[in-house]
Amino acid sequence: MKKNLFLIAITSIGLMACGGKQQSAENQEAATDTLTVEEPVVEETVSPDYVMLNLKGKVKSYELSGADYCDFVGGKVEFNEEGLIVKVNGEKADLERNDKGQITKYTWEVHLEDLEDEFNIYCYDENGQVKKIEYHGNFCDYDHTFERDENGNVVKRINKSPTEGNSTDKYKYTEFDEQGNWTKCTSDGKITRKITYWE
C-alpha cells in the first residue's frame, strides 16, 4: 500500500513537472511571437560649421547688425541643407577644410586695387569649437583667443597684435530664440543676430 502511494506521488510530481515545462515552452512561443525588434537609434551628425559657430538646429543663415561683433567668419553667413557654409557676406566662401570637415582657412578678396586677399587660420579645441583665429590682413595681423560660458557662447575675445597692440572684448547675451541660439547681446553697444532656419 505504501509502495502504491509512493508511486502515485512520484507519477503526480513527474506529470506536474512535465506540464510545467510544457506550459513554459508555450509561453516562450507566445513571447517570441510578440517580440518586436527595436531599430537602432541613429544620431544625426551635427555639421562641423554649426559646432564651430555654436549653432543649434538647422540654421539656413544669420546676419549681424548693430555694434561690432567679431564673428568667426563674417557678418552675414549662409549654409546649405547639410549645415556647411556656402556664402559669407553675399559671396561664395573660399574655404579649406581638414579631414574632420572643419574649416582651417577662410580667404576673402579685399576688392581694392593693389591689395592682396586676407585670410583667417582656425585652431580648434577637443569639442570642435574655435579656440584661436589667426587673422592675416594687408595692414595688420591679429591672434584672437576666446573664453566661453557653460553654453559655449563666447564671453571674452582676447586680441593680440604686434602692430596694433592688445585688447579684450567682452560679450553679454540678453536674448535667445527657441532653438537656444543667441539673438541679442551687448559689448560696446547692442548687437542683433537675425537667424533663419531650414524648414
Side-chain angles (χ1 to χ4, degrees), residues 39-56:
E39 293 292 323
V41 177
V42 180
E43 288 188 22
E44 190 175 332
T45 305
V46 179
S47 152
D49 295 1
Y50 286 164
V51 176
M52 168 195 191
L53 297 163
N54 197 36
L55 292 170
K56 299 156 188 73

Side-chain angles (χ1 to χ4, degrees), residues 68-116:
D68 182 40
Y69 181 85
C70 180
D71 187 74
F72 296 151
V73 187
K76 183 179 180 182
V77 182
E78 299 172 51
F79 303 84
N80 64 17
E81 291 192 65
E82 285 72 48
L84 299 176
I85 294 170
V86 289
K87 284 188 176 182
V88 177
N89 299 329
E91 297 185 358
K92 184 179 176 186
D94 181 3
L95 306 170
E96 293 178 23
R97 297 179 180 272
N98 62 18
D99 57 359
K100 295 179 182 177
Q102 298 167 321
I103 297 168
T104 54
K105 185 178 181 181
Y106 164 50
T107 305
W108 62 94
E109 194 176 339
V110 177
H111 297 296
L112 291 173
E113 198 174 327
D114 299 328
L115 293 182
E116 296 180 5

Side-chain angles (χ1 to χ4, degrees), residues 88-187:
V88 177
N89 299 329
E91 297 185 358
K92 184 179 176 186
D94 181 3
L95 306 170
E96 293 178 23
R97 297 179 180 272
N98 62 18
D99 57 359
K100 295 179 182 177
Q102 298 167 321
I103 297 168
T104 54
K105 185 178 181 181
Y106 164 50
T107 305
W108 62 94
E109 194 176 339
V110 177
H111 297 296
L112 291 173
E113 198 174 327
D114 299 328
L115 293 182
E116 296 180 5
D117 293 348
E118 297 183 339
F119 62 94
N120 285 340
I121 301 288
Y122 301 90
C123 301
Y124 295 86
D125 64 19
E126 63 279 0
N127 298 317
Q129 293 187 311
V130 175
K131 66 179 180 182
K132 180 180 176 184
I133 297 176
E134 297 174 16
Y135 163 73
H136 298 278
N138 283 285
F139 304 107
C140 63
D141 292 332
Y142 272 101
D143 281 353
H144 303 290
T145 54
F146 306 91
E147 291 181 17
R148 298 172 184 274
D149 64 16
E150 64 278 4
N151 297 313
N153 294 307
V154 173
V155 291
K156 190 185 285 187
R157 177 186 75 190
I158 300 131
N159 314 298
K160 294 183 179 179
S161 171
T163 56
E164 305 301 308
N166 302 335
S167 64
T168 300
D169 298 304
K170 295 179 181 179
Y171 303 100
K172 183 178 180 182
Y173 300 90
T174 56
E175 284 188 28
F176 294 83
D177 65 13
E178 291 178 358
Q179 298 283 342
N181 293 312
W182 71 266
T183 54
K184 288 186 181 177
C185 81
T186 57
S187 183

